[in-house]
Amino acid sequence: MKVLMFGWEYPPHVFGGLATANYGISEGLKAQGDIETVLCLPHPFGDESQHACRIVAMNAVPIAWRDVDYDYVKQRVGNIMDPDYYFKLREHIYADFNYMNVNDLGAMEFAGGYPGNLHEEINNYSIIAGQVARTEEFDIIHAHDWLTFPAGIHAKQVSGKPLCIHVHATDFDRSRGKVNPTVYSIEKNGMDWADCIMCVSELTRQTVINQYHQDPRKCFTVHNAVYPLPQEYQDIPRPDHTGKEKVVTFLGRITMQKGPEYFVEAATMVLHRTRNVRFCMAGSGDMMDAMIHLAAERGIADRFHFPGFMRGKQVYECLKNSDVYVMPSVSEPFGISPLEAMQCGTPSIISKQSGCAEILDNCIKVDYWDIHALADAIYSICHNESLFNYLKDEGKKEVDQITWEKVGAWIRTLYLRTLGWE
């Protein structure tokens, strides 16, 4: 089975959770043994792993004819795409796109990540998707999140192949219900065109059914998973904080959706009971300055740290150095970070309003708004060694069983059903 997949980010260039999920799903599908995936990315850097998929650099796809020779193409894009593939794509130019902002190869540039002109990039990406869909042979289309839904629709229109979309989050999650009408319309259009809608949690599935008015029969819950820790991360030592200051960590985007203010308020309550705890809010976002000011107003700035955005090894060093991980999200479609924390042996507290709460048992779950319950849970883990050890050991055992290979097997089943091959 051949899958034409549209993604927006991919490790090692991680801008958000979408990269981690896309990588996990690609590897999970590869593990099935009978699936080939072609993954389209707007701006690959050339150092992405192609173990599980063949990557198409959308910023090197010609949509306007340019009379260039092989050596020039190799010099320009050889690090991200096979020059032979460039010429194969050039044979399928389907319209005159010279009026668009194309470069010397007849291709369109992408910033990578989430630039200010994101909607323009989404539109350009969908135009290029038509070129790739005319060139590739495939059985089914898989589009990740609203950024790639227009591309998935275009590929379906061109090829007549069925479209699966993967909903990692909706604008209802990102905006606490104050949806952006443009984003909502792109999301709804993608869902209307889709033959199969994969949702990262039952929470998200219900949002898709009720807020986007989709047929429940084509909506399926596909929970995320976590990859085994690479050896270099396993080797990071876990400090022993017995009898020392405890460390409580929030790690993620510091935005309204993630509930950072509840973390600060709970921290204030804990620090009224003990001063032997430090709080770490790792990440960046539009609420960071407000949280720094809030910590100062509450008089806890001397026990609060803001190390900024972290990636790669830094994340795991931070998690292993923590005694408690907290994810107080207001609306979290899934949330992979608690699984990563539990892998590191760090007890986790998550909001009941998160998708991962559906599959995790060996953690503490509280309502995001219940700062009293959150503070009690933090205090208990920090001061009750048996509770700490139980959650550390049992949590790790639990997440070690939540694998992307199992996710890949379920997605393969959904592909077969959608194709009518089962």
Side-chain angles (χ1 to χ4, degrees), residues 63-131:
I63 58 169
W65 179 276
R66 293 291 183 269
D67 189 10
V68 287
D69 63 29
Y70 184 92
D71 290 338
Y72 183 71
V73 173
K74 185 175 182 181
Q75 173 199 329
R76 288 278 281 105
V77 299
N79 66 315
I80 56 172
M81 196 163 80
D82 181 350
D84 287 327
Y85 188 60
Y86 169 89
F87 291 103
K88 184 179 178 183
L89 286 159
R90 195 176 66 171
E91 293 171 12
H92 294 87
I93 292 173
Y94 62 93
D96 182 2
F97 289 113
N98 280 295
Y99 69 92
M100 299 194 75
N101 189 23
V102 292
N103 62 18
D104 56 337
L105 294 176
M108 300 201 71
E109 302 286 354
F110 287 89
Y114 302 91
N117 66 333
L118 183 59
H119 287 279
E120 182 185 345
E121 295 221 331
I122 290 168
N123 182 60
N124 294 342
Y125 182 87
S126 71
I127 290 169
I128 300 165
Q131 188 86 338

Side-chain angles (χ1 to χ4, degrees), residues 303-323:
R303 315 299 297 171
F304 225 96
H305 303 269
F306 293 88
F309 184 78
M310 293 183 173
R311 57 164 51 93
K313 191 175 182 181
Q314 294 174 314
V315 170
Y316 293 96
E317 286 174 339
C318 179
L319 292 174
K320 284 206 172 187
N321 196 43
S322 303
D323 298 276

